[in-house]
Amino acid sequence: MTRSPALSTSLPRAGLVAALALLLAACGADESPTAAVNANPADPFSGSPVGVAQVPGSTQQVETRIGETTVYAVAMPTTSVPVEVAREHGIERREDLVMLRVSGRRGEVGNLTSVPLKVQATATDLRGQVTTLTMEERPTAGLVDYVGAVDADLPDTLRFDIRVTTPDGASETMQLTREVSAAPGPAGQP
């Protein structure tokens, strides 16, 4: 984890395809209390509703409340970002590059607005090596997210320690873990 991967600073634009996919997926969405159905556009990075964690309680996705602001954090290998979205955002797609995205949201589901945040984050690997992430502000589907990336030596488990501060000075520390490994190759190969 010695390299400091950089993400391009080009401004992203939400795709109509992602929004349509969300609408189609919502038609058969799970209506349980843990499933979030959101009329906001789909997140172009993951396809899930913007600002809503896909799996509440997952150690790979976490959320916390700071006053009226809900803060979401998710870590994912950049290979899970669709090719066209990665190209648009200047994200290098690699199995060993893990992206951290932090979002501050206020409002009701279906009518969320961004909250500006100050985000500081580190990633610690299984050997105890700590890497400070450079978190960049990124407009996404009409909202703002904060995105950083870190290299991983596969297989590995990364622990992200995230310090988030809202405009009024309130802050919270979040922690999440992400296991990363190489995708299996063709039959008989690792």
Side-chain angles (χ1 to χ4, degrees):
M1 294 191 351
T2 57
R3 290 181 286 167
S4 177
L7 302 175
S8 169
T9 58
S10 65
L11 294 178
R13 302 283 180 236
L16 178 59
V17 174
L20 291 174
L22 171 65
L23 292 174
L24 290 173
C27 291
D30 179 359
E31 297 295 330
S32 70
T34 59
V37 179
N38 186 351
N40 285 332
D43 174 355
F45 294 115
S46 66
S48 67
V50 172
V52 177
Q54 294 177 19
V55 184
S58 165
T59 59
Q60 296 179 19
Q61 302 178 75
V62 294
E63 67 180 74
T64 191
R65 297 262 316 160
I66 306 174
E68 295 293 316
T69 302
T70 303
V71 179
Y72 303 92
V74 61
M76 66 185 84
T78 58
T79 52
S80 54
V81 176
V83 173
E84 57 278 354
V85 173
R87 187 177 311 115
E88 181 179 350
H89 296 272
I91 297 169
E92 184 178 358
R93 295 180 78 242
R94 299 189 338 240
E95 290 178 343
D96 65 342
L97 183 62
V98 178
M99 181 178 75
L100 174 68
R101 188 185 71 226
V102 178
S103 310
R105 303 290 187 254
R106 184 173 292 154
E108 299 297 319
V109 173
N111 190 27
L112 296 174
T113 59
S114 291
V115 175
L117 300 172
K118 178 181 177 186
V119 180
Q120 299 170 309
T122 61
T124 305
D125 67 15
L126 288 174
R127 297 172 306 193
Q129 184 173 355
V130 178
T131 302
T132 299
L133 280 72
T134 300
M135 301 298 291
E136 298 177 0
E137 185 176 295
R138 296 291 182 108
T140 303
L143 300 169
V144 176
D145 292 333
Y146 300 85
V147 179
V150 63
D151 288 302
D153 293 326
L154 302 181
D156 206 346
T157 300
L158 299 174
R159 185 189 75 230
F160 293 90
D161 293 293
I162 308 153
R163 182 80 176 163
V164 179
T165 306
T166 62
D168 63 2
S171 64
E172 185 76 36
T173 300
M174 304 170 71
Q175 190 175 86
L176 69 109
T177 58
R178 177 70 200 213
E179 293 180 17
V180 288
S181 59
Q189 296 182 8

